[in-house]
Every structure is written in C-alpha cells, then in structure tokens.
Amino acid sequence: MSDQKPNPYKIAQDQLEGAAKICGLPVAIASILSQPKNELIVNFPVRMDNGEYKLFKGYRVQHNNILGPYKGGIRYHEMVSLDEIKALASWMTYKCALHDIPFGGGKGGIKFSPRDHSQSELERITRRFTHALGANIGPEYDIPAPDVGTNGQIMVWMMDTYMNVVGFADKNANRRVVTGKTLASGGSHGRESATGQGIVHCITEWARDRHFDLNGATFSVQGFGNVGSNASKILARTGASLVATGDWKGYIANGDGINPYKLGEYVARTGSVMGYPGARAITRQEFFATAVDIFIPAALELEIGIPEAKALSCKLVVEGANGPTDSVAEPILAEKGIALIPDILANSGGVVVSYYEWLQNKRSERWDLEEVEERLAKRMKRTYLAVNEYAATKKCSWRNAALCIALDRIGKAYSERGIFP
Ligand code: NAD
C-alpha cells in the first residue's frame, strides 16, 4: 500500500481549500497558507560504529508563525520526504490555532530507519542534525518535539546539543528549545501519554453525547508506538477492550481482548507486536475488516484509502495519526455512517502538553501530574465542544469545522496585522 500512497501535501492542500471556502477565508491568506514559509534541507555526514561515514538528509519545514513560534515534531523514518514534512507542518499550524495555543506550525525529520542503528549512532545522527539546523531552531523561534521514530531521549540530545552551541550565559533558558523531553532533563509530567490521553478525552466526549457505554465496547489500533499504546492503555481503563492491533511488521487479533499493558512490555522487549502470545496473527486486510466500535489509526498518514474505508466496520474513527485518511476515502466513511474525529483535534493532546512543558521551562516551574492532566482535560473538552458546535451550526464535517476554527483565528491575526510591508 505504501508505494501507491497519494501525496500527503496534496491532501493537506485539498483540506485547506475545502475549509477555506466554508469559512470564507480571504484568498490572499489561503494562498499564504498553501505553502510553508521556509523549507530547509540539510545533508550531513555521521561516523558509524564501524568507523565509516554515512551521509544523511534532514528536513525542517516552517509552515507558519503568525500566532507564535513554529512548533512540531521530528520524524525518523525511511519514507520521510519533503512533501510529507510540508503536510505535517501545515497540520501543526492548524492544530495549534484550533486550541488557541500561541504557536505556529513546523515539522522536521531525517530519511532513515532508526531501527537499523545503535544508540550511539542515533545520538551522533541527532546531534549532527541539530548542529546542522543551527539557529534555524530556537526556544522563541522553532521548537521541535517527538514524532514517529523519535522519543524523549532524542529530544534530550537535541536540547543538549543546542544548549552547547549557543551562548553560555543563558544556557538554561534554552532548555525549552525542544519539548517532549524526559522528566529528568526538563520534560513535563504527562507529556509521554498526552496524545493518547487526548484521544481518549475525545472518545469519552463522543460516547457521553450519544449515551454510548464504553464499558464492554471494542476497539482496534493501527500502530502500537507512543500514541497507539498509550491510547490503548488509557481507553482500556473505561472497560473497552482492544481486539486487534498492528505495526510495521504485521497485525494481530484476539476477540477476547488483548491486554495493552502486557503487549506494551512485549513490544518494548521485541520491537513489534508480532509473535505476542496473547493473540493470533492476521493479515492487513483482516485487520481493517475486523468489526469494532472504535478504530484508532495511530501509525502513518494515508493508511485509510478506498479499500480500507470500504472494509472498515466501526462506529467511530479517531485519527491518532496525522493525515491517516485519504480525501477520497472520507466520503465513503460518511456514507457508511461512520463518525470521524479529525487528527488536528484527536491527536492534539501532545502539543497541548508540549505547550505546558514549554511554559514550565520558561517559568522555571514543575507542575504535578494532576495539574497537567486537569488542564489537558479542560482544554480538550472545550475544543471538542467548539468543533461539535461549529459542525452543527455550519452543517459541515468535524474536519472542516476544526480547520475553520483554526483558519478564522489565523485569518483574524493576518487581517489585523496586515502583510508587511
Ligand atoms: P511511534 O514511532 O512511537 O509509533 C509508530 C507506530 O506505527 C509503531 O508501532 C510502528 O511500528 C507503526 N508503523 C510504522 N509504519 C507502519 C506501517 N507501514 N503500517 C503499520 N504500522 C506502522 O510514533 P508515534 O509518536 O506513536 O506517532 C504515530 C502517529 O501519531 C504519527 O502519525 C504521528 O505524526 C502522530 N502523532 C504523534 C504525536 C506524539 O506526541 N508522539 C502527537 C500527535 C500526532
């Protein structure tokens, strides 16, 4: 499937065009948003453990900063491309604007498979990439975070490298150049599970509005990394049960339920869900056809094309991944009466808590877990309600409603500030 995937940037542009029409975004602003402000590509050599040097290609795309510093993750994956990063950067702009967080949108990555490298090679690749980015990132300018293939440790190496190449006097003020750090190095309580937690807030709001009992409900999750595993563990606490999941290596199912905690331990040991003793192997086609109440895509973009949309048998799709649904597949879901909570709302818990981490670093504070979780819950529920109301008033999809709320905020800032000179 991945070889025939459409261009994600084209999907992002189609989405922008559709929503811009609904909310009446001025053409000039839509055209600004149709391209990123900056697209940076760096090629840098790194010494491998065997003493040889290898050249890597890294990207940082800064989509828009009218509402605040560029903000967005760093992806390490063999399929990374400029157009993919451009799409992801634009979705970050809309995600932050939707939540009224004072950040813009950016995204970056390196085209390589982190699984093929040792920890010491990963450290040198990360440090060399951060050095190559130089002053193109900064705590008030462009703030990276984890994404596919990266984690808290990678963020700490980025932070440490940045801190050591800029001025010494304000070294600690630069801690917030990245978010999603480990707790010991300035991260926030609740950041690691925040995206999964935000997904579950959306699901519980959706269920509450429909008097749908999550206790006894079933769900499936594509991708069992940070987002997929945390969403599974938190959703399981409501009494819902995970019956199918999968990752880069393959798919597994168990109609009686899969314990996401035990599966998480297994994946941490082996690197994949495949071979987990508490489930049987199934094909990708069988995975998409598994009847469940809720489906959470939490892997890569454009995994739900026309065949997958036709196969899906569920009541709700909650986009944990960014851009998992092709535009041609979305009407099929709608025709089948499947509700869809769009990525910029569903997976926004991560950037919300990244913002809290950035604020804590800026103020030299440490908030306890309860405070972070309380603030996240309040913000997710408020934004969910706003999207719901907008969709009902304008009779549009939740994706268009979420995008329109974001575009209204961005449009207002542009119309007040004007375009320089
Ligand atoms: P991750 O690297 O922790 O996990 C990715 C998972 O997807 C892994 O289980 C991997 O094996 C699986 N995967 C990779 N290629 C696949 C394929 N071709 N088919 C099936 N599964 C495949 O990454 P993550 O941080 O969990 O991110 C997952 C998605 O969520 C991405 O779309 C990311 O942009 C989005 N997201 C992440 C965050 C965050 O805070 N980490 C926030 C918002 C959105």
Side-chain angles (χ1 to χ4, degrees), residues 99-102 188-191 194 197-198 201 348-360 363 365-384:
H99 268 294
D100 208 6
I101 290 173
S188 173
H189 284 291
R191 172 61 185 91
Q197 178 66 73
H201 284 313
S348 57
V351 76
V352 169
V353 178
S354 271
Y355 171 50
Y356 297 158
E357 177 178 334
W358 185 83
L359 277 180
Q360 288 170 74
R363 300 172 180 171
E365 289 177 357
R366 171 83 88 188
W367 303 352
D368 58 28
L369 179 62
E370 290 70 32
E371 180 167 1
V372 173
E373 288 193 334
E374 220 171 90
R375 284 176 186 249
L376 173 65
K378 198 171 156 196
R379 196 179 276 264
M380 287 301 303
K381 287 175 188 178
R382 192 178 63 199
T383 305
Y384 180 93

Side-chain angles (χ1 to χ4, degrees), residues 53-66:
Y53 283 84
K54 199 170 156 191
L55 196 67
F56 289 84
K57 190 179 280 296
Y59 302 87
R60 186 69 187 171
V61 170
Q62 297 165 333
H63 177 257
N64 192 273
N65 63 350
I66 184 90

Side-chain angles (χ1 to χ4, degrees), residues 75 147-149 191 195 224-227 247-248 298-299 320-322 347:
R75 178 171 292 194
D147 189 70
V148 174
R191 172 61 185 91
T195 309
F224 205 76
N226 174 296
V227 177
D247 61 18
W248 64 284
N322 286 303
N347 70 31

Side-chain angles (χ1 to χ4, degrees), residues 129-141:
F129 177 49
T130 310
H131 186 262
L133 290 176
N136 290 294
I137 57 170
E140 297 289 340
Y141 180 61

Side-chain angles (χ1 to χ4, degrees), residues 2 5 75-78 88 92 95 107 115 145-150 191-192 194-196 222-229 246-251 267 271-273 284 297-301 303 319-324 343 347-351 354:
S2 52
K5 273 187 186 177
R75 178 171 292 194
Y76 287 178
H77 194 271
E78 59 275 23
L88 292 164
M92 285 307 298
K95 203 179 293 183
K107 204 85 181 190
R115 276 190 300 273
D147 189 70
V148 174
T150 58
R191 172 61 185 91
E192 207 176 328
T195 309
Q222 188 198 29
F224 205 76
N226 174 296
V227 177
S229 67
D247 61 18
W248 64 284
K249 227 171 168 183
Y251 294 86
V267 172
S272 168
V273 301
R284 187 177 183 279
L300 299 176
E301 56 273 12
E303 284 290 320
E319 293 186 331
N322 286 303
D343 46 9
N347 70 31
S348 57
V351 76
S354 271

